[in-house]
Amino acid sequence: IDHQQQKIIKQIPVVVDEKLKKYRGAIPFGLYLTKDESTLYVALLAANAVAVIDTKTGATKGLIPAGWGPTRVTLSADEKELYIISCRGLGAGPNGGRGFTAPVQGTYVGDIQLGSIQKLKTPTSAELAAYTRTVKENTFQLRTVKDEGRNPVPPLPGLRKSPIKHIVYITKENRTYDEVLGQLRDGRGDSTIARFGLRVELIKDRPSDISPNHLKIAKQFAYSDNFYCDSDASIHGHHWMMGVIPNEWVETNSSVDKSARIFSKAPGRRFPGSTGSMDPEDYAEIGGLWEALERKGVDFYNFGEANETAHVREEWSDTLTGASHGVMVPMQEALFSKTSHNYAGYNTNIPDQFRMDQFEHEFTEMWLKGEKNMPPLVTIQLPNDHTASPRPEDGYPYRHSFMADNDLALGRLLHFLSRTPYWKDMLVIITEDDPQGGVDHVDAHRSILMFAGPYVKPGYVSHTHANFGSILKVIYNVLNVPYVNQYDVTASLIDDFFTDKPNLAPYNFEFPDKAVFDWDKAMKKYNRTIDWRKIMQGPPMDDPGHIRKVHYNGKD
């Protein structure tokens, strides 16, 4: 930067690997320039490394391994020693379960992981070369692509067509693996902390099934016991889920206290929103999932994964967006026209059953009765497993009630989708945006990932390490959409979930304990009753009028 002319006169690219040169995503954060101005050290937040740059040539000389999320780097006065601060240090580790002893700072995922400081000698050229190899082994493993041509998930976008034509990407809120799926014997779980499982002693002398559908979906289809959210909380999670790595603005502001003073004359910036719609301050250079789909011409439609921002009012009556906004916040162009403006976003005052009524109605009108086909990607937010304070008058006598509401909605969703004509080539992805509400005996970031659909192996447990990048990689590879950033390129390909022998069996939902969640009382405010006979039947598959439209319009 020429400070006198107020101009950028040169940009230096950070190259973490020659094969990744065209991809962004290292997130330069902290800088240190040596006294002779020949070498620049750059803390790379999303690469878990410090880059060493030759300022004269602009070349990346090498990489130094750091902790999780390096933010600052400096040298000693004599420049013989290097110091690196990483905001998440060595990660979290377990925060509950058998034999776990809580540390003094607590068990919340944002507290249990501690920052780290490294002290090392300023590396020689040989030492830097060794460090660089370590960084690439740790973070940038680029696997050799082998394609046998049978797996429904191609190993790369555009390599061949997939039999999967429709993906439904479901995000839920704030749960860990153990507290929901810890009772599953085939997975690596701890049943002692499965507080949202089956036969939970919530009511005296009456064991309750809190999440029968979660466990049934996992057993009927497939789930992972080695999936980890990259996020601590929603503010990070909805970025990672939509293919955008949280930048310095998000990371810096995510842990500060805030207050809404809408009419204050004091200068200041907005707090980052916890939503799938990126703020202008953290909009990535080429966007994320939404923009990648738009560039490729792949249609999509979004239910609820873009509506929440900071400083909102959330009442039971805010059903059109889930919240009443104190300020207007722009939504990126690629997303606005393809988002439902009738579906309620995050707001635990609104039952997930209400959201399912909205979803089923809109799906039916647009893609079953309407002239259009279901788009290749549909995103849905079902947020009430976040939980909230009990509201017995609304059918939520316990905090667990919100999880039961969410479980019933998830069961209804699978029940509905598996009875539509689109089920034959559909994949349903179920996950959480972050793990902050729960505990886990393996790691506080371990969370829920389930796949459902005809091309998913029945009764399968994946032990392959996975994160949000792995989910996005499945979406990009199936829909033939080019990768956005290095996060997508280097993620694990979790194709072990899939089979080339489809099973078209539908899913039949289960009821949680009504003493825990009273769905009739929850819907009473809206003057609605749930017609369970109609829901159990599902949408009509052999309606002559619909088939006639399909025939003459050439829909498949």
Side-chain angles (χ1 to χ4, degrees):
I1 298 173
D2 186 323
H3 73 279
Q4 292 179 329
Q5 299 185 52
Q6 297 289 298
K7 290 182 179 179
I8 296 175
I9 58 173
K10 182 181 179 181
Q11 296 194 26
I12 302 174
V14 178
V15 181
V16 295
D17 190 285
E18 286 296 320
K19 295 178 182 178
L20 298 172
K21 282 182 70 172
K22 69 175 184 176
Y23 296 103
R24 299 292 190 264
I27 311 292
F29 204 110
L31 305 172
Y32 180 85
L33 184 65
T34 55
K35 292 176 181 177
D36 62 5
E37 300 188 0
S38 66
T39 305
L40 181 69
Y41 292 87
V42 185
L44 304 177
L45 182 77
N48 302 334
V50 169
V52 183
I53 308 290
D54 185 321
T55 57
K56 294 179 181 178
T57 64
T60 303
K61 296 167 63 176
L63 303 166
I64 300 170
W68 183 4
T71 56
R72 295 290 182 265
V73 57
T74 191
L75 266 66
S76 60
D78 59 7
E79 298 193 338
K80 293 182 179 181
E81 291 183 331
L82 187 71
Y83 303 95
I84 305 168
I85 291 176
S86 299
C87 60
R88 291 186 176 86
L90 300 178
N95 65 339
R98 292 187 187 93
F100 173 77
T101 301
V104 292
Q105 72 269 26
T107 60
Y108 171 65
V109 65
D111 296 333
I112 196 168
Q113 57 188 339
L114 303 175
S116 65
I117 181 167
Q118 290 171 257
K119 173 185 171 182
L120 63 155
K121 292 181 179 178
T122 304
T124 64
S125 297
E127 290 169 336
L128 184 59
Y131 282 150
T132 303
R133 289 192 295 271
T134 299
V135 170
K136 292 183 179 183
E137 289 171 2
N138 288 348
T139 309
F140 301 108
Q141 292 187 24
L142 296 172
R143 297 158 185 82
T144 302
V145 173
K146 294 181 181 180
D147 187 19
E148 298 177 354
R150 294 193 300 270
N151 196 293
V153 177
L156 286 172
L159 201 59
R160 54 180 167 82
K161 288 187 176 180
S162 169
I164 299 170
K165 306 299 181 188
H166 302 95
I167 298 176
V168 178
Y169 186 15
I170 304 169
T171 172
K172 304 187 313 87
E173 288 283 331
N174 292 21
R175 302 271 66 90
T176 54
Y177 175 93
D178 271 336
E179 62 179 344
V180 180
L181 303 179
Q183 293 170 323
L184 294 172
R185 294 181 179 179
D186 293 334
R188 187 184 176 191
D190 185 340
S191 61
T192 66
I193 48 177
R195 56 177 172 168
F196 295 128
L198 304 179
R199 311 294 292 170
V200 176
E201 293 286 348
L202 184 62
I203 304 170
K204 185 177 180 181
D205 299 326
R206 180 175 175 168
S208 300
D209 290 347
I210 309 298
S211 301
N213 288 288
H214 281 75
L215 276 76
K216 183 176 180 179
I217 292 166
K219 288 189 284 188
Q220 180 172 333
F221 298 103
Y223 68 97
S224 169
D225 69 352
N226 202 17
F227 167 77
Y228 304 86
C229 294
D230 303 82
S231 50
D232 293 348
S234 295
I235 195 168
H236 312 104
H238 292 281
H239 285 75
W240 287 110
M241 288 191 69
M242 298 304 145
V244 175
I245 303 170
N247 67 5
E248 182 174 3
W249 183 73
V250 176
E251 290 287 359
T252 303
N253 286 284
S254 63
S255 60
V256 301
D257 292 331
K258 65 184 187 295
S259 61
R261 299 182 183 180
I262 299 170
F263 301 106
S264 171
K265 295 181 180 180
R269 305 297 294 274
R270 291 183 298 105
F271 186 77
S274 51
T275 167
S277 174
M278 302 304 123
D279 291 321
E281 292 89 345
D282 61 330
Y283 188 79
E285 185 178 27
I286 58 171
L289 174 62
W290 313 122
E291 289 77 15
L293 293 164
E294 184 185 52
R295 281 192 296 272
K296 187 64 177 177
V298 176
D299 198 14
F300 66 91
Y301 198 75
N302 168 55
F303 291 93
E305 183 48 36
N307 296 338
E308 192 202 357
T309 61
H311 308 319
V312 294
R313 184 201 73 193
E314 296 175 352
E315 300 291 345
W316 67 272
S317 56
D318 295 321
T319 56
L320 289 183
T321 61
S324 175
H325 299 261
V327 292
M328 293 301 293
V329 177
M331 186 186 298
Q332 60 256 55
E333 185 179 1
L335 182 60
F336 182 81
S337 63
K338 297 180 190 237
T339 290
S340 169
H341 299 287
N342 296 308
Y343 186 89
Y346 177 83
N347 182 346
T348 56
N349 291 297
I350 300 172
D352 276 345
Q353 305 314 306
F354 185 93
R355 292 183 179 86
M356 273 309 303
D357 281 359
Q358 289 177 302
F359 171 79
E360 290 177 7
H361 174 75
E362 201 161 344
F363 190 106
T364 300
E365 293 299 312
M366 289 194 299
W367 305 319
L368 294 180
K369 292 181 179 179
E371 299 295 323
K372 294 182 178 180
N373 273 325
M374 178 185 176
L377 179 67
V378 172
T379 54
I380 305 170
Q381 185 181 77
L382 283 177
N384 277 8
D385 62 332
H386 180 284
T387 75
S389 298
R391 299 197 313 271
E393 68 280 9
D394 293 336
Y396 297 87
Y398 308 94
R399 187 170 284 274
H400 297 65
S401 305
F402 295 88
M403 184 69 204
D405 177 21
N406 180 260
D407 178 80
L408 181 56
L410 182 63
R412 283 180 61 180
L413 184 61
L414 260 275
H415 188 103
F416 176 87
L417 292 172
S418 65
R419 285 163 173 78
T420 68
Y422 301 106
W423 179 248
K424 65 182 184 299
D425 48 25
M426 184 184 293
L427 169 64
V428 179
I429 304 170
I430 303 162
T431 190
E432 306 278 330
D433 78 303
D434 69 72
Q436 67 170 319
V439 293
D440 191 273
H441 86 285
V442 173
D443 192 277
H445 290 94
R446 193 169 67 138
S447 191
I448 296 167
L449 174 61
M450 298 188 287
F451 286 156
Y455 287 95
V456 173
K457 290 177 183 176
Y460 180 72
V461 185
S462 173
H463 307 299
T464 303
H465 181 277
N467 61 359
F468 287 134
S470 307
I471 296 175
L472 291 165
K473 199 164 201 170
V474 168
I475 295 173
Y476 291 141
N477 289 12
V478 167
L479 301 184
N480 185 19
V481 174
Y483 299 140
V484 175
N485 53 48
Q486 64 181 27
Y487 177 68
D488 310 321
V489 182
T490 59
S492 304
L493 180 62
I494 44 178
D495 56 359
D496 58 310
F497 274 98
F498 301 95
T499 175
D500 60 346
K501 299 176 176 60
N503 179 356
L504 297 176
Y507 177 78
N508 300 312
F509 77 91
E510 303 286 337
F511 285 103
D513 190 341
K514 196 169 185 180
V516 174
F517 169 59
D518 190 331
W519 44 85
D520 290 325
K521 189 179 288 187
M523 296 294 281
K524 190 175 181 179
K525 278 185 176 179
Y526 305 100
N527 295 316
R528 293 192 187 187
T529 57
I530 302 175
D531 188 345
W532 292 110
R533 288 184 299 177
K534 184 178 179 181
I535 289 171
M536 289 175 180
Q537 180 182 346
M541 295 186 68
D542 295 316
D543 176 69
H546 176 67
I547 293 174
R548 192 173 290 113
K549 283 184 181 180
V550 171
H551 180 76
Y552 286 109
N553 291 337
K555 293 183 179 181
D556 57 21

